[in-house]
Amino acid sequence: MQKLIPVLSLIGGLWVIAAGVLISEQPLALIAGGVISLIAGILGLATSALKKPEQPADPDERPPAPVAVPPVQATAEERLSADALVLTSLLQEKGRFLDFLMDDITAYPDAQVGAAARVIHQGCKSVVLDAFAPTAVTEVAEQSSITLDTDFDKTAYRLSGNIAGEPPYTGTVEHKGWRPTQYQLPEYQGTLSSAEDYVFAPAQVGVRS
Amino acid sequence: MKTQILGIDLGTTNCALASVQADDGSVETVGIPQITAPRTVGQPSGLPSALYLPSRNEFSAGDFALPWSDRDALPVAGEYARSHGPNVAEQLIHSAKSWLCNPNVHPDEAILPWQSTAVEEKLSPLSVSSAYLAHIKAAYEHSQGPSDAVAAETQAVITVPASFDEAARRATQQAAEKAGFGSNTLFLEEPLAAVYAWIDNEASNWREQLSPGQLLFVCDIGGGTSDFSLIAVDERDGDLALERIAVGNHILLGGDNLDLALAYVLRSQIEAAGQVIDEWQFRSLIQAARVAKEALFSKDALTSVPVAVPSRGSSLMAGTISTELARETLQAVAVDGFFADVEATDHPETAVGSGLQELGLPYEADPVVSKHIAAFLTQARASLMANAELCKRLDPTGERFAAPFLSPDGILFNGGVFHASVLRERVVSMLSRWAGRPVKALAGGNLDAAVARGAAVYGRMHVSGDGMRIRAGAAHSMYIGIASSIPAIPGFKPPVQALCLVPQGMEEGSETVLDKELGLVTGRSVTFQVFSSAERPQDVVGQLIPDADKMLETSQPLEMIMPEVEGIVSGAAIPVKLHARLNETGTMELWMQHTRSDNRFKIDFNVRLD
């Protein structure tokens, strides 16, 4: 499951870009935000494998830690996630994801960026739907009131503001959140010992007869 | 030992698989693992009916290994064949199923990819169908784990178009055998499968939507073909009974034509704006047109949907071309074009023009689906008129047959194109107008996976013995050719005569005997020619059709050697009587009974392969 998290954060960035182009009146600002989060996602992919689990600075000040997970000792090669690579391939194939990111966005007017965004939106959306069938974490509409019970899911809800005292907490939904309802990625059948073994998208050559 | 029940929709453009759950008997669609990219195996819900024959120097060894095979599984079936294949069109096989019922081509003839000069070894339409079936079988057995697949018995049901003639059904049967399916495998007409799926889906409610004396029109429009059937609702022993009474011709026109037509319109818009797109971009445009169509159909508030076509190169922002699909365009092309509000007397135009034609698939010259529906209902009336008993049962007052076409009371839609409610409404309103009374669309059902699900439902019924079976007599009358005994005239080929063995509507499982004695040549190679017709319900058993090759549909002749009979000189004719049986799979079995002995010769149409 560990490798899932950077994969999903990568998707999150993508959604923000798509939303930026399709919804916002100031698309570039939002896109920029999306790209930053995307890059964060990709960096997450690259570094999560190498990071050691963090130790709490001072155990007394922290809420009771969940059952201690023994640190997984694995080399970067062993953690090379074929799933993350396959997902990126799919996003490129169906939604031209890498083409979009690796292009120099500053050179083009918004109209051109918008046109390209439609390609990305259509293709990447189908990939994400097929792979994860994402759904909102909460059915409660954004800007509406929500009450979180004593045993609320701390993975699914992130709190902000004044969190003094014990739950139940009452607050406003600022963002409805997303979660996958399935995990269905094509499986890579080969063996990968380093990143160079993989190709996201082969170069295409039209052969002359 | 549990019986595993599988329903397989062997489609022209897509195959699907459903299975009956062992615990509660419910029917679920099953994903089919397949190559989605080199060294990558995904599990989409269906298997695109596409086969790619890679050239020797194109890929690395191991690129196409499947979880159940160590070596490359070639040719490549499914998603990757569909997505990569069009880039190397000469190595791609598609629409093989439509070749199965092509009268100019033997199902065993290695002709695919059609007109290709690039592949070393071509495949026959039959072996292509067999390849899809073998893939689905291997995928399912793999998903069950090694022990189960061996231990359990399998009851597979494979669907065929109702319009398939005898030869095409038989070829499908052979394809299944070749793929390793057992002799217990059943075959079911696709529109009937859709009805079984609907009945299963509606549980007990289906009876409330139909009543005795009504006529149900099954309108099944797949990706590449359309298939129509009429089903009569009757009452037997206090319960509703269904009987399939008419099937349509094989129509090579489907939902994909609609997307293609929209893409052509969009391309001309792009060209009018001074931009050009290539063949590769055009294929993305077809996909984009489909998505835009679905968006407009599902959201009434939209007046147009932007469509973007990416460049082939990596510079997406410099090269993306955009246009838009306006609602008026969609209305003009899809609704008023393909589903034009025509009169019942408007029938499809046949192609006129060029005297020379390409010998490819007989795609329909007229794309208006409504006209094909009108022609089907008119032809159904004409052919059912001849069956007095059926007419009386269906139409005691004579009202229904007074019109020049048969108007149904209910419509069951099938196929993804009918996700668009506006298209369903168009067909309903048009048929209501023709009938002069309201015709209603049946509620419920699942437009996409109904055929595979219905096949599994039918398999479950067959195994358990519970459930209402739709009676389905022979859709076509069948004939066997005989040589006339006339003096030989140089330069003159004697006309082929044919004897009717199975009259249209003959019930499955029943047998006919021909009184007439015929001469059967034994001990040397002879050919048998089978004919069929969907338009001659008046023919009875033993009827002689003098000009068979002009009046009837021909299929490829079967060549075989009849075993010698003791005491008869090889090559001499012995007197026999013909017995024909229509088996449960809808194909004909033929015996020849020697009238002077107990010798019985089975003309086994299945032995000709391999």
Side-chain angles (χ1 to χ4, degrees), chain A residues 41-52:
Chain A
I42 288 172
L43 286 177
L45 269 179
T47 56
S48 70
L50 304 168
K51 240 192 288 181
K52 293 228 167 96

Side-chain angles (χ1 to χ4, degrees), chain A residues 1 4-5 7-19 23 37 121 125 128-129 132-140 142 153-158 173-182:
Chain A
M1 233 13 218
L4 253 175
I5 294 157
V7 171
L8 295 177
S9 96
L10 194 140
I11 299 283
L14 183 69
W15 280 110
V16 178
I17 290 186
I23 302 163
S37 118
H121 180 258
K125 181 176 179 180
V128 171
L129 285 179
F132 308 117
T135 178
V137 168
T138 174
E139 298 286 304
V140 178
E142 289 177 8
D153 181 350
K154 294 179 185 61
T155 314
Y157 293 90
R158 194 62 58 243
V173 177
E174 309 284 4
H175 189 289
K176 61 185 175 178
W178 290 108
R179 73 192 317 162
T181 59
Q182 64 183 38

Side-chain angles (χ1 to χ4, degrees), chain A residues 14 22-23 35 73 80 99 113 147 171 176 200 204-205:
Chain A
L14 183 69
L22 297 173
I23 302 163
V35 169
Q73 300 292 336
L80 200 80
D99 289 347
V113 177
T147 300
K176 61 185 175 178
F200 285 130
Q204 296 174 23
V205 180

Side-chain angles (χ1 to χ4, degrees), chain B residues 117-299:
Chain B
T117 52
V119 299
E120 285 163 27
E121 211 174 316
K122 290 195 178 187
L123 297 176
S124 69
L126 194 154
S127 43
V128 176
S129 290
S130 176
Y132 300 140
L133 289 171
H135 183 107
I136 293 170
K137 184 169 187 283
Y140 186 75
E141 284 169 0
H142 176 74
S143 73
Q144 295 299 298
S147 56
D148 278 21
V150 180
E153 205 183 342
T154 302
Q155 174 63 64
V157 179
I158 298 170
T159 59
V160 292
S163 55
F164 257 21
D165 62 8
E166 172 69 7
R169 283 171 198 235
R170 211 178 282 282
T172 310
Q173 207 173 333
Q174 287 167 338
E177 264 170 49
K178 199 174 164 186
F181 283 93
S183 56
N184 65 337
T185 304
L186 298 172
F187 296 84
L188 178 67
E189 290 171 10
E190 285 158 15
L192 293 189
V195 177
Y196 282 117
W198 172 72
I199 289 176
D200 187 58
N201 208 45
E202 289 295 283
S204 55
N205 290 336
W206 72 270
R207 287 185 175 80
E208 287 156 26
Q209 296 196 49
L210 295 174
S211 51
Q214 285 188 329
L215 211 51
L216 175 62
F217 171 46
V218 186
C219 186
D220 179 8
I221 299 190
T225 54
S226 297
D227 209 0
F228 303 135
S229 287
L230 273 178
I231 290 172
V233 186
D234 215 340
E235 193 161 22
R236 206 164 299 141
D237 308 324
D239 198 0
L240 287 183
L242 303 183
E243 180 180 1
R244 195 270 285 114
I245 55 167
V247 301
N249 293 322
H250 198 68
I251 302 171
L252 277 180
L253 172 66
D256 293 349
N257 296 59
L258 217 154
D259 301 325
L260 194 62
L262 289 173
Y264 277 121
V265 174
L266 293 175
R267 184 167 71 177
S268 61
Q269 280 175 205
I270 290 169
E271 284 168 353
Q275 282 166 310
V276 194
I277 59 171
D278 63 16
E279 206 35 42
W280 187 90
Q281 287 177 302
F282 184 68
R283 286 202 298 277
S284 333
L285 181 60
I286 299 173
Q287 299 300 322
R290 170 175 303 154
V291 174
K293 174 195 77 178
E294 283 163 7
L296 278 176
F297 272 149
S298 62
K299 291 192 195 96

Side-chain angles (χ1 to χ4, degrees), chain A residues 19-69:
Chain A
V21 175
L22 297 173
I23 302 163
S24 165
E25 287 172 357
Q26 290 177 303
L28 284 179
L30 247 177
I31 289 175
V35 169
I36 290 166
S37 118
L38 257 169
I39 291 166
I42 288 172
L43 286 177
L45 269 179
T47 56
S48 70
L50 304 168
K51 240 192 288 181
K52 293 228 167 96
E54 278 177 36
Q55 297 297 316
D58 183 354
D60 293 338
E61 279 182 28
R62 298 247 164 177
V67 185
V69 183

